Amino acid sequence: MQAQDIKIWDLFVRIFHWSVVLMFMLDFWLIEDDGSWSLHRILGYALGILLSLRIIWGFIGPHTARFASFFPTPHRVAKHLQDLKQRTVDPREGHNPMGGAMVLLLLLMLAIITLSGWMQTWDMFWGEDWLEEVHEIAANLTMYLVGIHVAAVVIMTKVTGIPLLRTMLTGKRTGLLVTHNDSKQ
């Protein structure tokens, strides 16, 4: 076996991830919507644009960025749980099936947040309380999901020994790869 740097996350996925973290946290915790071109709205529009680009990238980007590579099918979930039991998680894997489910859920929630925020600026929805409620509930639920996501990263790093945070910062992880000759020994 040999240790090798393995490219997992491309630059766009990493920029998307950390930009969304920064903008969502600022909008959620610090910035209030106080006018038509408030910083809250500008960040919300930027999030919407980034989200649209990420959805496109999920179909045309590199393998680990594609939704098809981490869509959580029952077979993938069962295989991943078996791999965890046997401690044979592939270090080349991007999102595992549960991580993939969380990614899809977070993208959906961001879509609901950005769309409901944008719709509040439309004349036909101006002042609609139900739309503001949808926006707030979606943002609060997303913050809850972020907490679960961060806890899962910490737990999976301990369980698998794969430094997930470092991987999302650098795009690479070091792993032991079994070569063809090693597998015969």
Side-chain angles (χ1 to χ4, degrees):
M1 286 196 212
Q2 64 188 44
Q4 177 178 349
D5 271 349
I6 306 162
K7 185 174 181 187
I8 303 295
W9 304 119
D10 63 276
L11 184 60
F12 176 77
V13 166
R14 290 179 287 137
I15 289 172
F16 169 81
H17 180 272
W18 295 112
S19 297
V20 168
V21 167
L22 178 65
M23 288 188 276
F24 180 76
M25 291 301 172
L26 284 172
D27 257 1
F28 188 87
W29 292 109
L30 298 176
I31 300 170
E32 290 293 321
D33 185 13
D34 60 1
S36 63
W37 281 103
S38 69
L39 185 55
H40 180 88
R41 289 186 186 187
I42 292 168
L43 290 176
Y45 292 138
L47 272 168
I49 291 166
L50 275 174
L51 178 63
S52 299
L53 293 172
R54 178 61 182 98
I55 290 169
I56 293 167
W57 200 242
F59 293 102
I60 67 169
H63 176 73
T64 56
R66 292 186 185 208
F67 301 131
S69 75
F70 59 81
F71 193 83
T73 64
H75 177 266
R76 285 181 175 166
V77 170
K79 181 179 179 333
H80 181 69
L81 292 173
Q82 187 63 32
D83 288 349
L84 280 176
K85 274 190 206 174
Q86 297 174 354
R87 297 197 178 273
T88 58
V89 175
D90 186 348
R92 295 169 294 188
E93 179 180 63
H95 287 104
N96 66 52
M98 281 76 74
M102 180 59 81
V103 168
L104 295 173
L105 185 55
L106 285 168
L107 292 176
L108 173 64
M109 295 309 299
L110 287 172
I112 292 169
I113 293 166
T114 56
L115 185 59
S116 63
W118 181 40
M119 287 172 64
Q120 289 179 60
T121 67
W122 300 359
D123 287 341
M124 68 187 292
F125 294 113
W126 188 259
E128 290 288 339
D129 289 337
W130 69 267
L131 192 54
E132 190 171 331
E133 284 294 314
V134 166
H135 189 72
E136 285 185 29
I137 290 168
N140 289 328
L141 181 56
T142 301
M143 185 54 68
Y144 177 74
L145 293 171
V146 165
I148 293 171
H149 173 66
V150 170
V153 167
V154 170
I155 291 166
M156 289 304 293
T157 295
K158 289 185 183 291
V159 168
T160 65
I162 297 172
L164 299 174
L165 179 60
R166 186 175 71 203
T167 304
M168 188 47 82
L169 289 169
T170 66
K172 299 175 185 169
R173 71 174 58 130
T174 301
L176 290 176
L177 294 181
V178 177
T179 64
H180 183 67
N181 293 337
D182 292 337
S183 63
K184 290 182 180 179
Q185 296 176 350

